[in-house]
Amino acid sequence: MSLKKKITSLALIALIGISGVIGYNSINPSKPNYTDDSKTNVNYQMEHIKNISKAPHTIFDEDKKAKSEVREYLLSELEKLGVETKTYKYDDVHLKNYAAYGDNAHENVDLENIYGEIKGKSDSYILLATHYDSAKAKEGRYSQQEGSLGSADAGYALSTILETLRVIKESNTELENGIKILFTDGEECGLLGAKEAVKEKEILEGVNYVINIEARGTSGPAIMFETSQDNNAVMDLYEASEKPFSYSITPEIYRLLPNGTDFTVFLENGLNGINISVLDELENYHTPNDNPENLSDESMQHYGDQVLPIVKEFVSNEKYSNPDALKGTDDSIFFNLGSAFIRYSKTVNIFLLAVILIGLIVIIKKLNVNKPKKVIKYVIANLIFTIASIGIGYGISRLLAVLNGRKFELTYLPLVKFEDIIFIFVMITLFVGYFFTSKRITNNFEDKNEFTIGSMILLLILSLIFTIALPGASYLTVFPLVLLVVSMLIKLFLQNVRFISYILLIPIALTVMLYVPTIYLFNCALTIGALCVCVFFAMIAYISVLNGIINLD
């Protein structure tokens, strides 16, 4: 190996490593604030959480006293903040599948929702919503255990809302628009409180934006994982967030899943808004480990860094007095890239596809690729390797379920021994296998031009499929591909410029930065049962990265 190749290889390894670290670090976007009272303060949040999570406070009789104490604490804190409060009581609410919650569960339960309101000049409101009951272990969810204190679920949410209200009050913000607060009861057993709340005219009247806050774990970024349909206007307001963190694929995927939160009920009743939750450390979810000791200060701060600026913008901006200001016309495409939040319309996505198509035609001519059979061969080879890898990923998940004595579910396979090690091993092995397979079928990359064109065509086909069937996911292929195409064009048109091929380091670095947190978060959300899904995403990244690598001169 020549000195130049050695230097290039070392630089490439360093670049991929640094890009991976930047991508991974992006999942912890907030630094905890302990001193500045003009922002949400982690110390105050933790104080609320400790008061809220002294004991399990489910909707069932054995926890009735503890839940009553939590309710009284929340009412007291809201009143201190100048919130007009009331409760809505519902007796003998039917609980479906009550037998799944143990021998002490009953078919009918009593609920008591907490409602609060701070009036503004207009009749337009933002609704801050979460639940205040803790979870009882449910049959069929083997990772769940009795005794959850609800510190994360929904202590994170309750404390974030209380802190947001404190900052609004102490900053003497002039309220053009008002704030409504809803703490529902019985969310953990079928969204019971929310289903009753939406029947109350007073609660929903004038609500033009909802922020629902949840927790499905105890750490990680507070990801905005769900929006209402036609979310471009909703996203305009979300971008007021200090630390936005979201990927447009998550609302698309979540809409296809049978899961539900109170936000599901709000959407069914025509409200616009967003849903925010942490996803990491699922093993603590609905167990005694959901306690103050296992919370993350970074996660706690991240909730506040998103919610507070959005509320401030809504209540202080006169334009949100008009309900039409938050009625969208289409869904946006968006994602995080390092510390940047990138968002564009479907129209821009079509433009990027056109750029890719035209650029691809130019590249074919500039490279003088005139062997269509070879190009098709590499389209098919990439596709077969991807499909085979997905199948192997699925098989590994099934095997892990058997070895760990678990029932296999694609989106629920937690508590697998050595899960992190296995996941990392699979991801590394997948790239090594793809690299050497590609090297072999291309005769040591002698056919790199045909291989590059074949790979780009496959990514373009996937981009078109995503754009039509799942537009929120289209950035996963369009973004890496447009970077690769543009970099290749620059290289080909400026080929006499020394070291110009290093322009391809840009798509390599940015693709790694995009995919490291994407794959990590999907593994957190779907567990290793969905390893095949993460393998699919990884293959898109690997195809993009490998084609950048082999075109470095």
Side-chain angles (χ1 to χ4, degrees), residues 193-317:
K195 290 175 181 177
E196 298 298 330
V198 293
K199 300 173 186 176
E200 307 291 347
K201 182 180 178 182
E202 177 184 23
I203 295 176
L204 295 192
E205 191 171 30
V207 172
N208 292 312
Y209 198 90
V210 178
I211 301 178
N212 190 72
I213 310 175
E214 266 292 346
R216 190 176 180 263
T218 55
S219 70
I223 182 170
M224 195 281 284
F225 69 97
E226 186 179 17
T227 70
S228 46
Q229 293 273 9
D230 297 330
N231 61 27
N232 55 352
V234 165
M235 291 301 299
D236 286 342
L237 181 52
Y238 175 69
E239 284 196 274
S241 165
E242 185 180 328
K243 301 284 185 179
F245 195 93
S246 188
Y247 297 84
S248 54
I249 187 175
T250 57
E252 295 271 24
I253 296 294
Y254 197 80
R255 290 167 191 164
L256 302 175
L257 298 176
N259 303 330
T261 67
D262 283 345
F263 192 65
T264 307
V265 180
F266 301 141
L267 291 181
E268 290 170 352
N269 284 268
L271 296 178
N272 293 317
I274 58 175
N275 204 359
I276 301 174
S277 178
V278 293
L279 300 173
D280 206 352
E281 295 190 346
L282 179 63
E283 63 271 17
N284 295 332
Y285 179 61
H286 291 186
T287 75
N289 291 325
D290 184 357
N291 60 49
E293 287 69 34
N294 287 320
L295 299 186
S296 162
D297 288 1
E298 289 78 9
S299 299
M300 207 179 303
Q301 188 66 50
H302 192 212
Y303 277 108
D305 285 346
Q306 292 183 90
V307 175
L308 175 60
I310 296 171
V311 176
K312 275 188 170 181
E313 173 64 15
F314 181 92
V315 300
S316 61
N317 193 329

Side-chain angles (χ1 to χ4, degrees), residues 230-233 235 248 330-334 343-346 472:
D230 297 330
N231 61 27
N232 55 352
M235 291 301 299
S248 54
D330 206 349
D331 284 329
S332 293
I333 298 166
F334 48 89
R343 175 182 162 225
Y344 51 87
S345 66
K346 289 181 180 177

Side-chain angles (χ1 to χ4, degrees), residues 375-389 434 438 441 450-456 458-459 539 542-544 546-547:
V375 172
I376 294 170
K377 168 189 170 182
Y378 293 127
V379 172
I380 294 171
N382 273 296
L383 181 61
I384 290 174
F385 190 92
T386 300
I387 293 171
S389 299
Y434 177 59
S438 301
I441 64 174
E450 290 80 6
F451 182 80
T452 298
I453 298 302
S455 300
M456 287 181 171
L458 177 60
L459 291 176
M539 277 305 304
Y542 291 166
I543 290 170
S544 304
L546 181 60
N547 279 276

